[in-house]
Amino acid sequence: MLVKTKAIVISALKFQEKSLIVKCFTLSHGLKSYFVRDAFSSRKSNQKIAYFQPLTILEIEAVHKNKGTLENFKEIKIDSPFHSIHSDIYKSTIVMFISEMLHHSIHEEEKNEQLFTFLETAMHWLDNHDEIANFHLILLLEITKYLGFYPDISDIDMPFFEMNEGVFTPFHAISSLTEHESNLFKKLIDLKFDNNQKIFHVIERQIVLRILIDYYSFHLDGFKKPKSLDVLKEVFS
């Protein structure tokens, strides 16, 4: 089946000497993996390695056999080039981290147009703004809406956040955050991309990030802590 769709690059794994296996989150078919033969060869001008940087938004034409095997691109072009993401160390580090989080979070081969649209909009926001210290925190929390485990905030005035059930409670349980951690998490819930990015100190930001990664671990089977986490902490310390 010939498919034309937008696609967000999640990961690109080198295969043998010249080829790539590229995982994309597509608008039309959700998660798909593609085999790119001779990706490192200059002869293949339509399949440049630069197309497959993390979270690049592509416009693709591809052959989908839908047999659980690797699919193949026919045509690729960048849908809307980023101006600052790949040249700014802070933004490129965030993007590397987010792409790894998505790699461990999105598993189903089902389309999720709302998640795709949110990610696309968020990437353009990141590309066009400079105050981005909390971007990855807000993004990771918002993504839980589309993956089905956004916190229940109906009792947000309660002092403790219970991670397993995703609710605020009056009592502290084994899987609850401390009252201080819960208050930081409440701050995050109230944040939007355009809010004051200096609302958290460096240490607070690291605490909130750890909370989010733990929260993902509670709710996603087989979730792995991103290897790029240490790089992110180093850049934003």
Side-chain angles (χ1 to χ4, degrees):
M1 176 172 63
L2 188 62
V3 174
K4 291 183 179 181
T5 184
K6 285 186 179 182
I8 298 173
V9 177
I10 302 298
S11 64
L13 178 68
K14 192 172 183 180
F15 180 76
Q16 296 180 342
E17 287 301 310
K18 295 182 179 180
S19 301
L20 278 177
I21 296 173
V22 179
K23 183 179 285 188
C24 290
F25 183 53
T26 70
L27 177 60
S28 62
H29 289 78
L31 201 63
K32 283 288 183 183
S33 293
Y34 300 89
F35 181 66
V36 184
R37 192 182 304 278
D38 296 332
F40 296 89
S41 170
S42 58
R43 293 181 292 107
K44 292 281 186 179
S45 60
N46 67 327
Q47 295 182 348
K48 293 177 181 176
I49 188 68
Y51 290 171
F52 306 117
Q53 294 184 71
L55 302 190
T56 298
I57 302 168
L58 302 173
E59 196 173 305
I60 67 169
E61 190 173 310
V63 177
H64 286 182
K65 295 180 180 177
N66 297 316
K67 293 182 179 179
T69 55
L70 296 174
E71 314 290 14
N72 292 283
F73 294 118
K74 280 198 71 178
E75 298 287 342
I76 312 169
K77 66 178 182 178
I78 293 178
D79 178 70
S80 43
F82 295 135
H83 303 292
S84 65
I85 284 177
H86 298 306
S87 59
D88 182 301
I89 183 63
Y90 297 101
K91 293 183 181 183
S92 60
T93 302
I94 285 176
V95 163
M96 179 174 63
F97 171 72
I98 293 296
S99 66
E100 197 176 349
M101 286 290 291
L102 291 171
H103 176 75
H104 293 308
S105 303
I106 304 174
H107 302 299
E108 297 180 7
E109 279 197 21
E110 294 180 5
K111 71 176 180 179
N112 188 333
E113 292 183 1
Q114 290 182 319
L115 175 56
F116 186 97
T117 301
F118 168 72
L119 290 172
E120 181 181 28
T121 303
M123 290 306 296
H124 286 304
W125 188 95
L126 177 65
D127 193 41
N128 290 299
H129 291 79
D130 295 322
E131 297 295 323
I132 58 164
N134 299 319
F135 175 85
H136 54 301
L137 306 177
I138 299 167
L139 185 81
L140 289 180
L141 181 62
E142 288 295 309
I143 286 172
T144 66
K145 289 180 180 177
Y146 306 98
L147 297 182
F149 57 99
Y150 187 76
D152 180 348
I153 59 173
S154 54
D155 292 317
I156 198 169
D157 291 335
M158 296 295 179
F160 303 106
F161 182 70
E162 200 280 315
M163 299 277 273
N164 194 41
E165 296 296 326
V167 297
F168 288 89
T169 66
F171 307 109
H172 188 270
I174 293 175
S175 55
S176 295
L177 301 178
T178 66
E179 190 164 359
H180 174 60
E181 291 170 337
S182 298
N183 285 332
L184 291 177
F185 197 52
K186 289 176 186 180
K187 269 189 182 181
L188 176 63
I189 288 171
D190 286 336
L191 277 186
K192 303 295 180 218
F193 288 138
D194 287 322
N195 288 152
N196 177 16
Q197 294 284 318
K198 294 181 174 65
I199 193 168
F200 294 122
H201 299 301
V202 172
I203 298 301
E204 290 178 333
R205 193 175 293 115
Q206 291 180 357
I207 292 170
V208 173
L209 181 58
R210 176 182 54 77
I211 290 169
L212 284 166
I213 290 173
D214 288 346
Y215 190 52
Y216 271 64
S217 299
F218 266 100
H219 292 273
L220 295 173
D221 291 337
F223 178 80
K224 297 178 181 178
K225 185 183 293 186
K227 294 177 181 178
S228 56
L229 180 60
D230 291 338
V231 179
L232 186 77
K233 287 180 179 178
E234 184 69 26
V235 169
F236 281 92
S237 63

